[in-house]
Amino acid sequence: DAAATTPVSGAWEAIYVDSGTSRFEHVEIRYAGNRFSPGTGSGRTAAVHVRDEADPTLRDVVIADAENGGLYVDAGDPLLERVRVEDSGGEAFFVELAANPTFIDVTAIGNGANRVGLRGGTLTEDRDYDFNGLPVHLTTDLTIADGTSVSIVAGSVFKFPDGAFIVANGTLTAVGTEAEPLVFTTINDDTAGGDSNNDAAATTPVSGSWEAIYVDSGTSRIEPVELRYAGNRI
């Protein structure tokens, strides 16, 4: 049809990965992201879903021009190496609490939100959180259960919605460096991790934007860390 049709975001639905033996290398996934038809808001979905405790490998993969988010990790321990999400309408990456992906050289460029969304809740399995420099937006409070260990890599930026908090009943190891401190701040703080809520100057950080970090474990270690704009439960 020559130039009679042109591609649009959401022209097809998604790739669902339910097998740990799956492997994607040197793959481009373009114009996905809608279950029904392009522009139908209720049908929007991520372009790639990793599900059912699958541990696939995605290496040298580009996800581009999706109508909604790029990569959604529901469960499992996938390896994401040199995965780039670009020019998509939603969040570049979203990780459920039960999932434990490995991020290596991932990038997010020109998306509706150049960040990793991380589901809050009660964490009962050990985690080494390293999202390769991308800012992380918690959806809600995060509780580290007794006997559970969470380590956050130097240079990470974790952002909280209004009133959210972390409770470390288990061990929280948040150890930055002088050159790369850890930053815990509000989702409205664009000076750390960039404009990760993608609203330009529409919102600005204020004191008390999120609640606090509660440390109930003598094995926790927090240094050097910047805690910005905390101090209110509501």
Side-chain angles (χ1 to χ4, degrees), residues 55-226:
D55 304 332
T57 295
L58 286 79
R59 181 179 289 119
D60 297 303
V61 171
V62 176
I63 302 170
D65 298 294
E67 184 172 342
N68 197 41
L71 178 62
Y72 172 77
V73 186
D74 177 61
D77 305 332
L79 171 62
L80 312 177
E81 185 172 4
R82 295 187 298 278
V83 175
R84 185 172 80 247
V85 181
E86 62 184 28
D87 299 328
S88 296
E91 209 160 33
F93 300 91
F94 191 90
V95 177
E96 293 287 352
L97 191 64
N100 190 25
T102 297
F103 281 62
I104 301 174
D105 293 334
V106 298
T107 52
I109 303 169
N111 301 289
N114 294 319
R115 68 186 187 225
V116 177
L118 179 62
R119 183 79 66 192
T122 299
L123 192 56
T124 58
E125 297 179 335
D126 294 350
R127 291 286 184 268
D128 291 316
Y129 280 140
D130 181 356
F131 295 104
N132 202 203
L134 291 177
V136 177
H137 279 218
L138 281 166
T139 63
T140 186
D141 314 325
L142 179 65
T143 298
I144 302 168
D146 188 22
T148 302
S149 178
V150 172
S151 177
I152 302 176
V153 72
S156 296
V157 177
F158 274 63
K159 298 188 179 186
F160 296 78
D162 291 353
F165 57 80
I166 290 179
V167 174
N169 293 319
T171 299
L172 172 61
T173 303
V175 178
T177 66
E178 289 188 11
E180 292 185 302
L182 290 171
V183 178
F184 296 95
T185 189
T186 168
I187 59 174
N188 297 325
D189 183 1
D190 296 347
T191 66
D195 182 20
S196 50
N197 62 356
N198 196 36
D199 69 350
T203 55
T204 55
V206 296
S207 298
S209 290
W210 59 287
E211 187 169 337
I213 295 177
Y214 297 94
V215 184
D216 298 336
S217 165
T219 56
S220 292
R221 183 180 171 202
I222 301 174
E223 59 172 316
V225 169
E226 297 179 11

